Amino acid sequence: MNHRILGLTVRNFRTLTDTKLPLGPLTVMVGPNAAGKSNVLHALELLGDVTRKGIEPAFEDRGGFDVLAFRGGRKPVSRISVGVEGIWSDFASEEAPDRYELSVSRRRLRPERGRERYTTYRRELFTQHPAEGAETSVELTSDSLKVSSPLPADHIWESVDVGPMASAMHLDHALPTDAPSARAIDNVRRHLSQIRVFDPDVREARKPWGISDSGRYLENDASNLADFLRGLQEDGDAWEFLLEDVRKVVPQIRDIHLVTPPDFASHRTAVELEEEGLRGRTRLTEASWGTVRILCMLAIFHDPEPPLLTCIEEIDHGIHPHALGLMAQRLREASERSQYLVTTHSPVFVNELEPEEFVPCERRPSGASVIPARKPADTRRVVEVAEYEPIGNLWFSGSVGGTL
Ligand SMILES: Nc1ncnc2c1ncn2[C@@H]1O[C@H](COP(=O)(O)OP(=O)(O)O)[C@@H](O)[C@H]1O
Ligand SMILES: [Mg+2]
Protein backbone atom coordinates (compact mmCIF):
# COMPACT_ATOMS: atom_id res chain seq x y z
CA MET A 1 0.00 0.00 0.00
CA ASN A 2 1.38 3.31 -1.08
CA HIS A 3 0.81 5.67 1.87
CA ARG A 4 0.93 9.28 0.86
CA ILE A 5 -0.01 12.73 2.12
CA LEU A 6 -2.32 14.54 -0.29
CA GLY A 7 -2.60 17.82 1.53
CA LEU A 8 -2.14 19.90 4.65
CA THR A 9 -4.74 22.12 6.32
CA VAL A 10 -3.80 24.66 8.96
CA ARG A 11 -5.78 27.22 10.92
CA ASN A 12 -4.38 29.91 13.20
CA PHE A 13 -0.92 28.40 13.48
CA ARG A 14 1.59 31.29 13.35
CA THR A 15 0.82 33.17 10.06
CA LEU A 16 -1.26 30.30 8.65
CA THR A 17 -4.76 31.49 9.49
CA ASP A 18 -6.48 29.39 6.85
CA THR A 19 -4.15 27.33 4.68
CA LYS A 20 -5.09 24.41 2.48
CA LEU A 21 -2.04 23.18 0.62
CA PRO A 22 -2.22 20.19 -1.74
CA LEU A 23 0.97 18.12 -1.70
CA GLY A 24 2.17 16.15 -4.72
CA PRO A 25 5.36 14.09 -5.04
CA LEU A 26 7.31 17.37 -5.27
CA THR A 27 6.10 20.73 -3.92
CA VAL A 28 8.27 23.85 -4.01
CA MET A 29 7.31 27.00 -2.09
CA VAL A 30 8.60 30.40 -3.15
CA GLY A 31 7.79 33.89 -1.89
CA PRO A 32 9.13 36.92 -0.03
CA ASN A 33 10.92 36.56 3.29
CA ALA A 34 8.44 36.13 6.15
CA ALA A 35 5.66 35.03 3.78
CA GLY A 36 5.11 31.92 5.95
CA LYS A 37 6.94 29.20 3.99
CA SER A 38 8.83 27.87 6.99
CA ASN A 39 5.64 28.02 9.05
CA VAL A 40 4.23 25.36 6.71
CA LEU A 41 7.22 23.15 7.50
CA HIS A 42 6.84 23.93 11.22
CA ALA A 43 3.20 22.79 11.10
CA LEU A 44 4.21 19.42 9.62
CA GLU A 45 7.07 19.09 12.09
CA LEU A 46 4.62 19.76 14.93
CA LEU A 47 2.54 16.75 13.84
CA GLY A 48 5.70 14.64 13.72
CA ASP A 49 6.52 15.71 17.26
CA VAL A 50 3.00 14.90 18.46
CA THR A 51 3.57 11.29 17.36
CA ARG A 52 6.92 11.14 19.18
CA LYS A 53 6.19 13.09 22.38
CA GLY A 54 2.47 13.79 22.65
CA ILE A 55 0.55 17.05 22.31
CA GLU A 56 1.59 19.00 25.39
CA PRO A 57 5.37 18.46 25.05
CA ALA A 58 5.15 19.26 21.31
CA PHE A 59 3.48 22.59 22.14
CA GLU A 60 5.70 23.38 25.14
CA ASP A 61 8.92 22.75 23.14
CA ARG A 62 7.81 25.53 20.79
CA GLY A 63 7.00 28.03 23.53
CA GLY A 64 3.37 27.07 24.11
CA PHE A 65 -0.04 28.07 22.75
CA ASP A 66 0.59 31.85 22.91
CA VAL A 67 3.68 31.64 20.74
CA LEU A 68 2.03 29.39 18.17
CA ALA A 69 -1.42 30.98 17.90
CA PHE A 70 -1.83 33.65 15.19
CA ARG A 71 -1.21 37.00 16.88
CA GLY A 72 -3.15 39.12 14.37
CA GLY A 73 -6.88 39.74 14.06
CA ARG A 74 -9.29 41.60 16.30
CA LYS A 75 -9.22 39.23 19.25
CA PRO A 76 -6.86 36.52 20.49
CA VAL A 77 -7.13 33.17 18.76
CA SER A 78 -8.72 30.41 20.85
CA ARG A 79 -8.09 27.39 18.58
CA ILE A 80 -5.17 26.12 16.50
CA SER A 81 -5.79 23.28 14.02
CA VAL A 82 -3.37 21.28 11.93
CA GLY A 83 -4.56 18.43 9.75
CA VAL A 84 -3.52 16.17 6.90
CA GLU A 85 -5.36 14.37 4.15
CA GLY A 86 -3.86 11.25 2.69
CA ILE A 87 -4.05 7.59 1.85
CA TRP A 88 -3.57 5.33 4.85
CA SER A 89 -6.47 2.88 4.91
CA ASP A 90 -7.07 0.15 2.32
CA PHE A 91 -10.00 1.80 0.53
CA ALA A 92 -8.96 5.44 0.67
CA SER A 93 -8.44 7.24 -2.64
CA GLU A 94 -7.72 10.72 -3.90
CA GLU A 95 -11.48 11.25 -4.22
CA ALA A 96 -12.19 9.81 -0.76
CA PRO A 97 -9.03 10.46 1.28
CA ASP A 98 -8.42 9.66 4.93
CA ARG A 99 -8.13 12.63 7.26
CA TYR A 100 -6.52 13.48 10.56
CA GLU A 101 -7.04 16.80 12.30
CA LEU A 102 -5.66 17.97 15.62
CA SER A 103 -7.25 21.02 17.21
CA VAL A 104 -5.96 22.55 20.41
CA SER A 105 -8.27 25.07 22.05
CA ARG A 106 -7.82 27.40 24.96
CA ARG A 107 -10.59 28.80 27.10
CA ARG A 108 -10.29 31.63 29.55
CA LEU A 109 -11.34 30.86 33.12
CA ARG A 110 -12.42 33.35 35.77
CA PRO A 111 -9.31 35.24 36.96
CA GLU A 112 -8.03 34.23 40.38
CA ARG A 113 -6.38 36.86 42.61
CA GLY A 114 -6.16 39.14 39.58
CA ARG A 115 -4.32 36.46 37.54
CA GLU A 116 -5.45 35.35 34.07
CA ARG A 117 -6.23 31.63 33.98
CA TYR A 118 -6.77 29.34 31.01
CA THR A 119 -7.68 25.75 30.33
CA THR A 120 -6.44 23.91 27.25
CA TYR A 121 -8.05 20.92 25.56
CA ARG A 122 -7.69 19.01 22.33
CA ARG A 123 -9.89 17.38 19.74
CA GLU A 124 -8.57 14.73 17.39
CA LEU A 125 -10.66 13.55 14.49
CA PHE A 126 -9.75 10.67 12.19
CA THR A 127 -11.77 9.79 9.11
CA GLN A 128 -10.85 6.64 7.23
CA HIS A 129 -11.92 4.00 4.72
CA PRO A 130 -10.89 0.58 6.06
CA ALA A 131 -13.53 -1.42 4.13
CA GLU A 132 -15.20 -1.05 0.77
CA GLY A 133 -17.86 1.67 0.92
CA ALA A 134 -17.33 2.19 4.67
CA GLU A 135 -16.26 5.56 6.01
CA THR A 136 -15.42 5.38 9.70
CA SER A 137 -14.48 8.07 12.15
CA VAL A 138 -12.73 8.19 15.49
CA GLU A 139 -12.98 11.29 17.63
CA LEU A 140 -11.19 12.15 20.84
CA THR A 141 -12.74 14.98 22.85
CA SER A 142 -12.00 15.73 26.52
CA ASP A 143 -11.67 12.25 28.02
CA SER A 144 -13.88 10.34 25.63
CA LEU A 145 -13.13 8.38 22.50
CA LYS A 146 -16.02 8.03 20.07
CA VAL A 147 -15.94 5.46 17.28
CA SER A 148 -18.41 5.73 14.44
CA SER A 149 -18.10 2.68 12.22
CA PRO A 150 -20.31 0.05 10.56
CA LEU A 151 -17.56 -2.55 11.21
CA PRO A 152 -18.20 -4.64 14.37
CA ALA A 153 -14.45 -5.16 14.92
CA ASP A 154 -14.05 -1.41 15.42
CA HIS A 155 -16.28 -1.33 18.48
CA ILE A 156 -14.06 -3.43 20.74
CA TRP A 157 -11.96 -0.42 21.60
CA GLU A 158 -14.59 2.15 22.45
CA SER A 159 -13.81 1.77 26.12
CA VAL A 160 -10.13 2.79 25.85
CA ASP A 161 -9.34 5.40 28.52
CA VAL A 162 -7.89 8.67 27.25
CA GLY A 163 -6.80 11.72 29.19
CA PRO A 164 -8.01 15.20 28.09
CA MET A 165 -4.72 16.02 26.29
CA ALA A 166 -3.82 12.47 25.18
CA SER A 167 -3.27 11.81 21.48
CA ALA A 168 -4.25 8.65 19.63
CA MET A 169 -1.09 9.36 17.63
CA HIS A 170 0.97 8.86 20.75
CA LEU A 171 -1.16 6.26 22.51
CA ASP A 172 -0.54 3.51 19.97
CA HIS A 173 -0.05 0.83 22.59
CA ALA A 174 -3.53 1.50 23.95
CA LEU A 175 -5.27 0.90 20.60
CA PRO A 176 -6.14 -2.73 19.80
CA THR A 177 -4.47 -3.66 16.53
CA ASP A 178 -7.34 -5.89 15.40
CA ALA A 179 -9.73 -2.93 15.03
CA PRO A 180 -9.60 -1.79 11.36
CA SER A 181 -9.86 1.91 12.22
CA ALA A 182 -7.13 1.65 14.85
CA ARG A 183 -4.87 0.06 12.24
CA ALA A 184 -5.52 3.02 9.94
CA ILE A 185 -4.63 5.43 12.77
CA ASP A 186 -1.41 3.52 13.27
CA ASN A 187 -0.57 4.02 9.58
CA VAL A 188 -1.08 7.80 9.93
CA ARG A 189 1.05 7.81 13.08
CA ARG A 190 3.90 5.94 11.44
CA HIS A 191 3.77 8.19 8.41
CA LEU A 192 3.78 11.45 10.36
CA SER A 193 6.52 10.20 12.69
CA GLN A 194 8.77 9.99 9.62
CA ILE A 195 8.39 13.63 8.57
CA ARG A 196 11.80 15.26 8.44
CA VAL A 197 12.56 18.96 8.12
CA PHE A 198 16.14 19.57 7.01
CA ASP A 199 17.77 22.90 7.73
CA PRO A 200 21.48 22.06 7.37
CA ASP A 201 23.90 23.96 9.60
CA VAL A 202 27.19 24.17 7.66
CA ARG A 203 29.28 24.90 10.75
CA GLU A 204 28.02 21.71 12.42
CA ALA A 205 28.17 19.61 9.24
CA ARG A 206 31.90 20.35 8.87
CA LYS A 207 32.77 18.71 12.20
CA PRO A 208 33.93 15.10 12.62
CA TRP A 209 31.15 12.93 13.99
CA GLY A 210 31.14 9.97 16.35
CA ILE A 211 30.35 6.68 14.63
CA SER A 212 26.90 5.59 15.72
CA ASP A 213 23.79 3.73 14.69
CA SER A 214 22.16 7.07 13.95
CA GLY A 215 24.44 7.35 10.90
CA ARG A 216 21.56 5.76 9.01
CA TYR A 217 19.56 8.96 9.43
CA LEU A 218 20.89 12.36 8.59
CA GLU A 219 20.16 14.75 11.48
CA ASN A 220 17.88 17.72 10.64
CA ASP A 221 20.83 20.12 10.94
CA ALA A 222 23.15 17.68 9.08
CA SER A 223 25.49 17.68 12.09
CA ASN A 224 26.23 13.97 11.53
CA LEU A 225 26.98 14.44 7.82
CA ALA A 226 30.34 12.63 8.09
CA ASP A 227 28.80 9.58 9.73
CA PHE A 228 25.84 9.56 7.31
CA LEU A 229 28.24 9.66 4.33
CA ARG A 230 30.14 6.74 5.87
CA GLY A 231 26.84 4.79 5.89
CA LEU A 232 26.29 5.65 2.21
CA GLN A 233 29.84 4.56 1.37
CA GLU A 234 29.23 1.18 3.01
CA ASP A 235 26.03 0.81 0.96
CA GLY A 236 27.93 1.18 -2.30
CA ASP A 237 25.70 2.30 -5.18
CA ALA A 238 24.34 5.49 -3.62
CA TRP A 239 27.90 6.56 -2.77
CA GLU A 240 29.11 6.17 -6.38
CA PHE A 241 26.18 8.23 -7.68
CA LEU A 242 26.79 10.91 -5.06
CA LEU A 243 30.51 11.09 -5.94
CA GLU A 244 29.69 11.40 -9.63
CA ASP A 245 27.33 14.31 -8.88
CA VAL A 246 29.83 16.07 -6.62
CA ARG A 247 32.45 15.90 -9.39
CA LYS A 248 29.96 17.44 -11.84
CA VAL A 249 29.09 20.46 -9.71
CA VAL A 250 32.46 20.99 -7.97
CA PRO A 251 34.79 19.78 -10.76
CA GLN A 252 38.04 20.19 -8.83
CA ILE A 253 36.96 17.52 -6.33
CA ARG A 254 38.51 14.23 -7.43
CA ASP A 255 37.55 12.04 -4.50
CA ILE A 256 36.03 12.07 -1.02
CA HIS A 257 37.55 10.14 1.86
CA LEU A 258 35.98 9.26 5.17
CA VAL A 259 38.71 8.96 7.75
CA THR A 260 39.27 8.73 11.49
CA PRO A 261 41.14 11.92 12.37
CA PRO A 262 44.28 11.22 14.49
CA ASP A 263 43.41 13.92 17.04
CA PHE A 264 40.34 11.98 18.20
CA ALA A 265 40.89 9.04 20.53
CA SER A 266 37.34 7.80 20.13
CA HIS A 267 35.85 6.52 16.91
CA ARG A 268 34.97 9.50 14.77
CA THR A 269 34.49 10.03 11.07
CA ALA A 270 35.76 13.11 9.26
CA VAL A 271 35.35 14.07 5.62
CA GLU A 272 38.42 14.86 3.52
CA LEU A 273 38.45 16.01 -0.09
CA GLU A 274 41.03 15.29 -2.76
CA GLU A 275 41.25 18.39 -4.95
CA GLU A 276 42.69 18.85 -8.43
CA GLY A 277 46.14 20.47 -8.38
CA LEU A 278 46.54 20.30 -4.58
CA ARG A 279 48.94 18.19 -2.55
CA GLY A 280 47.41 16.45 0.46
CA ARG A 281 43.74 16.54 1.34
CA THR A 282 41.31 19.30 2.25
CA ARG A 283 39.46 18.69 5.50
CA LEU A 284 35.77 19.54 5.39
CA THR A 285 36.50 22.18 8.05
CA GLU A 286 38.55 23.96 5.33
CA ALA A 287 36.23 23.27 2.38
CA SER A 288 34.07 25.93 0.75
CA TRP A 289 30.75 26.73 2.42
CA GLY A 290 28.81 25.91 -0.75
CA THR A 291 30.62 22.57 -1.12
CA VAL A 292 29.40 21.56 2.34
CA ARG A 293 25.82 22.59 1.41
CA ILE A 294 26.07 20.61 -1.83
CA LEU A 295 27.22 17.54 0.11
CA CYS A 296 24.28 17.92 2.50
CA MET A 297 21.76 18.21 -0.36
CA LEU A 298 23.19 15.30 -2.33
CA ALA A 299 23.27 13.19 0.83
CA ILE A 300 19.52 13.84 1.22
CA PHE A 301 18.74 13.14 -2.47
CA HIS A 302 20.79 9.92 -2.56
CA ASP A 303 19.49 8.52 0.75
CA PRO A 304 18.59 4.90 -0.13
CA GLU A 305 16.01 4.81 2.69
CA PRO A 306 14.35 8.22 2.58
CA PRO A 307 11.57 9.15 5.01
CA LEU A 308 8.06 9.23 3.51
CA LEU A 309 8.02 13.03 3.58
CA THR A 310 11.19 15.11 3.43
CA CYS A 311 11.09 18.90 3.84
CA ILE A 312 14.13 21.01 2.99
CA GLU A 313 14.68 24.67 3.88
CA GLU A 314 16.21 27.03 1.29
CA ILE A 315 17.38 24.31 -1.06
CA ASP A 316 19.50 26.61 -3.28
CA HIS A 317 21.31 28.41 -0.44
CA GLY A 318 25.00 28.89 -1.28
CA ILE A 319 24.89 26.82 -4.48
CA HIS A 320 26.04 28.20 -7.86
CA PRO A 321 23.13 28.68 -10.31
CA HIS A 322 24.79 26.40 -12.86
CA ALA A 323 24.70 23.57 -10.31
CA LEU A 324 21.01 24.00 -9.59
CA GLY A 325 19.81 22.21 -12.73
CA LEU A 326 21.43 19.00 -11.53
CA MET A 327 20.06 19.56 -8.01
CA ALA A 328 16.54 19.95 -9.42
CA GLN A 329 16.97 16.81 -11.52
CA ARG A 330 18.12 14.76 -8.50
CA LEU A 331 15.28 16.13 -6.40
CA ARG A 332 12.76 15.16 -9.07
CA GLU A 333 14.24 11.62 -9.25
CA ALA A 334 14.15 11.35 -5.46
CA SER A 335 10.49 12.45 -5.52
CA GLU A 336 9.66 9.32 -7.51
CA ARG A 337 10.58 7.31 -4.38
CA SER A 338 9.11 9.54 -1.64
CA GLN A 339 7.53 12.96 -1.11
CA TYR A 340 9.42 16.27 -0.95
CA LEU A 341 8.36 19.75 0.17
CA VAL A 342 11.04 22.40 -0.18
CA THR A 343 11.53 26.18 -0.15
CA THR A 344 13.75 28.24 -2.46
CA HIS A 345 14.55 31.79 -3.54
CA SER A 346 16.18 30.81 -6.82
CA PRO A 347 14.43 31.55 -10.16
CA VAL A 348 17.00 29.27 -11.83
CA PHE A 349 15.86 26.36 -9.66
CA VAL A 350 12.19 27.23 -10.20
CA ASN A 351 12.77 27.22 -13.98
CA GLU A 352 12.98 23.42 -13.74
CA LEU A 353 9.48 23.06 -12.24
CA GLU A 354 6.03 22.18 -13.57
CA PRO A 355 3.06 24.41 -12.58
CA GLU A 356 1.72 21.67 -10.25
CA GLU A 357 4.98 21.72 -8.29
CA PHE A 358 5.13 25.50 -7.88
CA VAL A 359 3.53 27.14 -4.82
CA PRO A 360 3.80 30.94 -4.65
CA CYS A 361 3.42 32.27 -1.09
CA GLU A 362 2.38 35.77 -0.03
CA ARG A 363 1.46 37.64 3.13
CA ARG A 364 -1.42 40.07 3.62
CA PRO A 365 -1.19 43.35 5.57
CA SER A 366 -3.32 41.59 8.23
CA GLY A 367 -0.30 39.35 8.96
CA ALA A 368 -1.93 36.24 7.46
CA SER A 369 -0.19 34.11 4.83
CA VAL A 370 -1.82 33.30 1.50
CA ILE A 371 -0.49 29.86 0.57
CA PRO A 372 -0.89 28.97 -2.23
CA ALA A 373 -1.27 32.51 -3.57
CA ARG A 374 -2.30 31.03 -6.94
CA LYS A 375 -3.73 27.76 -8.13
CA PRO A 376 -1.58 25.56 -10.41
CA ALA A 377 -4.26 25.89 -13.14
CA ASP A 378 -3.79 29.70 -13.11
CA THR A 379 0.00 29.32 -13.26
CA ARG A 380 -0.38 26.87 -16.14
CA ARG A 381 -2.51 29.37 -18.06
CA VAL A 382 0.13 32.10 -17.62
CA VAL A 383 2.82 29.64 -18.79
CA GLU A 384 0.80 28.80 -21.90
CA VAL A 385 0.10 32.44 -22.73
CA ALA A 386 3.84 33.15 -22.30
CA GLU A 387 4.60 30.39 -24.84
CA TYR A 388 6.13 28.05 -22.26
CA GLU A 389 8.52 30.52 -20.72
CA PRO A 390 10.06 28.72 -17.69
CA ILE A 391 8.18 29.38 -14.43
CA GLY A 392 11.21 30.83 -12.62
CA ASN A 393 11.46 33.67 -15.18
CA LEU A 394 7.71 34.31 -14.94
CA TRP A 395 7.93 34.34 -11.16
CA PHE A 396 10.88 36.76 -11.15
CA SER A 397 9.04 39.12 -13.51
CA GLY A 398 5.99 39.09 -11.24
CA SER A 399 3.55 37.19 -13.49
CA VAL A 400 2.65 34.24 -11.26
CA GLY A 401 2.57 35.68 -7.70
CA GLY A 402 5.00 35.08 -4.84
CA THR A 403 6.84 38.39 -5.27
CA LEU A 404 7.44 41.41 -3.03
N1 LIG B 1 2.16 33.38 16.38
C1 LIG B 1 2.39 34.15 15.31
N2 LIG B 1 1.44 35.00 14.86
C2 LIG B 1 1.64 35.77 13.76
N3 LIG B 1 2.80 35.78 13.07
C3 LIG B 1 3.78 34.94 13.47
C4 LIG B 1 3.63 34.07 14.58
N4 LIG B 1 4.77 33.37 14.72
C5 LIG B 1 5.60 33.76 13.73
N5 LIG B 1 5.01 34.70 12.97
C6 LIG B 1 5.56 35.42 11.82
O1 LIG B 1 5.98 34.53 10.82
C7 LIG B 1 6.92 35.20 10.01
C8 LIG B 1 8.01 34.25 9.60
O2 LIG B 1 7.45 33.27 8.77
P1 LIG B 1 8.35 32.20 8.04
O3 LIG B 1 7.47 31.07 7.72
O4 LIG B 1 9.58 31.93 8.84
O5 LIG B 1 8.73 33.00 6.71
P2 LIG B 1 9.48 32.50 5.40
O6 LIG B 1 8.46 32.57 4.30
O7 LIG B 1 10.58 33.48 5.17
O8 LIG B 1 9.96 31.12 5.65
C9 LIG B 1 7.45 36.37 10.82
O9 LIG B 1 7.00 37.59 10.25
C10 LIG B 1 6.81 36.17 12.18
O10 LIG B 1 6.48 37.39 12.80
MG1 LIG C 1 11.88 30.40 5.89
Side-chain angles (χ1 to χ4, degrees):
M1 181 93 216
N2 191 8
H3 296 158
R4 136 176 98 93
I5 298 182
L6 297 170
L8 171 73
T9 51
V10 190
R11 267 182 301 262
N12 296 329
F13 175 81
R14 299 194 192 267
T15 58
L16 311 176
T17 53
D18 189 8
T19 296
K20 197 166 190 316
L21 176 64
L23 295 173
L26 172 60
T27 308
V28 181
M29 291 186 286
V30 304
N33 297 115
K37 305 179 293 296
S38 296
N39 291 339
V40 171
L41 308 189
H42 294 158
L44 283 162
E45 203 172 36
L46 174 81
L47 292 183
D49 258 11
V50 166
T51 68
R52 283 181 288 270
K53 305 175 180 173
I55 297 168
E56 279 175 305
F59 269 66
E60 289 314 314
D61 283 0
R62 291 162 172 78
F65 189 94
D66 278 334
V67 170
L68 298 181
F70 177 57
R71 284 185 283 112
R74 271 180 294 126
K75 44 185 190 141
V77 159
S78 59
R79 178 183 299 154
I80 298 174
S81 307
V82 184
V84 280
E85 271 185 16
I87 299 193
W88 296 290
S89 60
D90 290 349
F91 292 87
S93 63
E94 288 187 23
E95 295 71 41
D98 297 327
R99 289 200 175 84
Y100 163 59
E101 188 180 60
L102 166 69
S103 300
V104 174
S105 305
R106 201 168 67 152
R107 209 173 46 211
R108 206 164 152 191
L109 300 173
R110 202 171 329 127
E112 210 169 64
R113 295 194 206 102
R115 280 242 198 103
E116 297 281 2
R117 288 189 316 138
Y118 296 92
T119 171
T120 311
Y121 53 101
R122 65 83 187 86
R123 173 175 181 258
E124 273 187 314
L125 180 62
F126 297 85
T127 311
Q128 42 226 348
H129 305 82
E132 190 154 16
E135 184 177 283
T136 70
S137 75
V138 175
E139 187 182 10
L140 279 79
T141 46
S142 54
D143 49 9
S144 80
L145 183 151
K146 204 168 83 201
V147 180
S148 158
S149 168
L151 311 172
D154 264 343
H155 293 273
I156 59 169
W157 58 303
E158 270 174 337
S159 58
V160 169
D161 272 342
V162 291
M165 285 300 279
S167 168
M169 303 293 279
H170 188 57
L171 267 181
D172 53 317
H173 58 278
L175 303 182
T177 49
D178 38 2
S181 292
R183 263 204 308 275
I185 289 178
D186 200 43
N187 289 341
V188 185
R189 182 191 62 77
R190 268 184 289 152
H191 197 140
L192 297 185
S193 72
Q194 281 199 33
I195 292 175
R196 306 290 305 280
V197 179
F198 289 106
D199 186 3
D201 179 336
V202 168
R203 196 183 283 262
E204 288 303 313
R206 288 175 187 279
K207 294 179 184 165
W209 183 268
I211 293 169
S212 65
D213 291 341
S214 73
R216 294 280 151 206
Y217 302 99
L218 187 63
E219 298 286 336
N220 291 355
D221 63 355
S223 55
N224 66 337
L225 178 68
D227 196 32
F228 183 75
L229 291 178
R230 186 186 55 83
L232 284 190
Q233 193 180 41
E234 283 165 9
D235 269 5
D237 280 357
W239 177 251
E240 290 307 319
F241 290 131
L242 179 140
L243 258 184
E244 220 171 274
D245 283 348
V246 172
R247 290 186 187 119
K248 278 185 200 144
V249 292
V250 194
Q252 62 271 42
I253 294 181
R254 285 232 218 87
D255 210 350
I256 302 177
H257 300 273
L258 300 169
V259 299
T260 306
D263 40 340
F264 284 100
S266 63
H267 264 55
R268 275 179 194 264
T269 309
V271 182
E272 291 183 353
L273 310 175
E274 229 179 279
E275 290 189 88
E276 187 85 46
L278 299 188
R279 275 188 304 280
R281 292 178 183 169
T282 305
R283 289 194 262 173
L284 204 59
T285 42
E286 266 68 54
S288 102
W289 199 91
T291 299
V292 181
R293 279 289 302 196
I294 285 170
L295 279 177
C296 293
M297 290 304 143
L298 290 175
I300 295 170
F301 302 155
H302 287 289
D303 185 348
E305 289 168 45
L308 289 172
L309 175 62
T310 300
C311 306
I312 311 173
E313 281 280 17
E314 315 277 5
I315 198 158
D316 57 290
H317 195 187
I319 302 178
H320 190 277
H322 288 169
L324 290 178
L326 182 97
M327 293 294 170
Q329 195 184 328
R330 291 295 173 261
L331 178 60
R332 164 136 324 102
E333 288 159 9
S335 73
E336 284 161 19
R337 289 179 279 131
S338 66
Q339 253 180 321
Y340 289 79
L341 171 63
V342 309
T343 72
T344 183
H345 286 297
S346 166
V348 176
F349 187 84
V350 174
N351 273 344
E352 306 294 324
L353 303 179
E354 298 295 324
E356 289 68 27
E357 297 165 338
F358 172 79
V359 176
C361 304
E362 294 174 8
R363 187 121 172 244
R364 293 204 180 97
S366 66
S369 294
V370 193
I371 301 178
R374 255 172 207 252
K375 291 200 185 89
D378 297 335
T379 303
R380 186 167 283 286
R381 220 165 293 130
V382 176
V383 170
E384 280 164 12
V385 170
E387 296 179 343
Y388 296 91
E389 181 74 22
I391 298 180
N393 298 352
L394 294 171
W395 166 48
F396 195 62
S397 66
S399 314
V400 286
T403 43
L404 263 181

